[in-house]
Amino acid sequence: MTQRESLEFAMEQETMVQVLMVHCQAMKRQETRLRLATALMLVTFLATLVWIQFHQQTTHPVSGASLKALRTDEASSRRLSVYFRPAESMTNDCLQHQTETLVQWVRLSEGLDHQHINLTNNSVLKVLTEGLYMINLRISYRVLHNQCKSSDKPEAKLFVNITQQHSNYDAEILVRSAAESMPCKQYWMQSVALNKVIKLEANTDLRVKINSESCKFVNWSKNTHLDVTLL
């Protein structure tokens, strides 16, 4: 290669390097513009969200009274049920009746306060507020050692009734009932569950009754309960 050719080749290389540098600088400027545009879009989007939230708060303000009422409603929605368990004296009370025994209860919670429902004489659930109620009852039975002898019947009859009574009614009305048979076998376990949604008038009395014959099989301490929920 002659000296002239070498000089021309060097000039061409220098020109290519300059072109490449210019191209790189242009790409960097374009990338910077793209980043700035993206950042501007994000800032605009966030500002729009903040403005919408502020506009909603100013358009629909929540006063102190409204907030208090909202909290009261939320609290009341968590206190719609009342729970009962059988009274400890039920075992002795069963022996005093010939055919039918009125189940006595102990109140476990104050979910439905005394403005809605109350317990009278440990056996009558006095509904004070008219409304739609869900009633859940579960009575658990178990046959203990020596409760079933050879002279006993091979089956035990289980009768459970939920009734309501009101001054507008001529007589006590049956809400829900169950009639089942249980094998009289040692250590046998069985449950009767009743549930119903019913509209009750104010000052309605609810009662739970079982046949006295089945009293000795009732597991009063466990798995026997009554729940009443205002819907």
Side-chain angles (χ1 to χ4, degrees):
M1 180 181 293
T2 62
Q3 184 176 4
R4 181 177 179 180
E5 290 176 348
S6 299
L7 182 59
E8 291 177 353
F9 181 73
M11 292 178 63
E12 288 178 359
Q13 285 185 334
E14 183 178 359
T15 301
M16 291 178 62
V17 171
Q18 291 178 355
V19 171
L20 182 60
M21 291 179 62
V22 171
H23 178 72
C24 291
Q25 291 176 357
M27 291 295 293
K28 288 183 178 180
R29 286 194 296 269
Q30 185 177 1
E31 183 179 356
T32 302
R33 294 193 190 99
L34 182 60
R35 290 179 178 177
L36 290 175
T38 303
L40 182 61
M41 289 177 62
L42 289 176
V43 171
T44 304
F45 178 72
L46 293 176
T48 303
L49 289 180
V50 172
W51 181 85
I52 292 175
Q53 186 177 5
F54 176 77
H55 180 71
Q56 289 178 345
Q57 291 178 352
T58 54
T59 306
H60 304 286
V62 179
S63 63
S66 300
L67 183 59
K68 183 178 180 181
L70 180 60
R71 290 174 179 173
T72 302
D73 291 340
E74 291 177 350
S76 62
S77 65
R78 294 191 298 269
R79 297 193 301 268
L80 293 180
S81 297
V82 61
Y83 309 98
F84 300 92
R85 64 171 175 80
E88 296 180 358
S89 60
M90 275 305 306
T91 303
N92 296 327
D93 291 340
C94 283
L95 302 176
Q96 301 175 8
H97 299 81
Q98 295 295 324
T99 57
E100 195 174 53
T101 297
L102 192 60
V103 179
Q104 296 183 4
W105 303 97
V106 175
R107 189 175 184 132
L108 293 181
S109 74
E110 297 298 331
L112 285 175
D113 56 31
H114 297 286
Q115 295 180 354
H116 298 292
I117 193 169
N118 207 344
L119 183 61
T120 305
N121 296 330
N122 294 330
S123 57
V124 180
L125 277 68
K126 174 74 73 172
V127 177
L128 304 178
T129 303
E130 180 180 351
L132 196 64
Y133 290 83
M134 174 177 284
I135 302 172
N136 289 299
L137 172 67
R138 179 185 177 90
I139 297 182
S140 176
Y141 301 86
R142 61 177 179 176
V143 181
L144 300 179
H145 182 64
N146 290 331
Q147 279 190 321
C148 286
K149 300 178 182 180
S150 58
S151 59
D152 290 341
K153 298 179 181 179
E155 290 185 338
K157 300 299 181 180
L158 311 176
F159 297 101
V160 181
N161 295 326
I162 303 175
T163 66
Q164 63 167 318
Q165 188 172 16
H166 194 273
S167 58
N168 294 335
Y169 310 150
D170 295 333
E172 199 169 13
I173 298 176
L174 187 64
V175 175
R176 195 72 191 273
S177 65
E180 299 184 10
S181 296
M182 181 180 69
C184 195
K185 297 181 179 180
Q186 187 167 287
Y187 306 125
W188 184 272
M189 299 183 66
Q190 188 168 325
S191 294
V192 174
L194 297 177
N195 57 77
K196 185 172 184 178
V197 175
I198 184 173
K199 184 176 182 181
L200 298 175
E201 299 182 48
N203 298 317
T204 296
D205 293 338
L206 292 177
R207 296 180 178 88
V208 177
K209 302 177 182 180
I210 62 175
N211 58 320
S212 299
E213 177 187 351
S214 66
C215 275
K216 64 179 180 179
F217 301 117
V218 177
N219 187 356
W220 298 112
S221 60
K222 295 182 179 179
N223 301 325
T224 298
H225 57 83
L226 174 64
D227 307 335
V228 181
T229 302
L230 175 62
L231 302 178

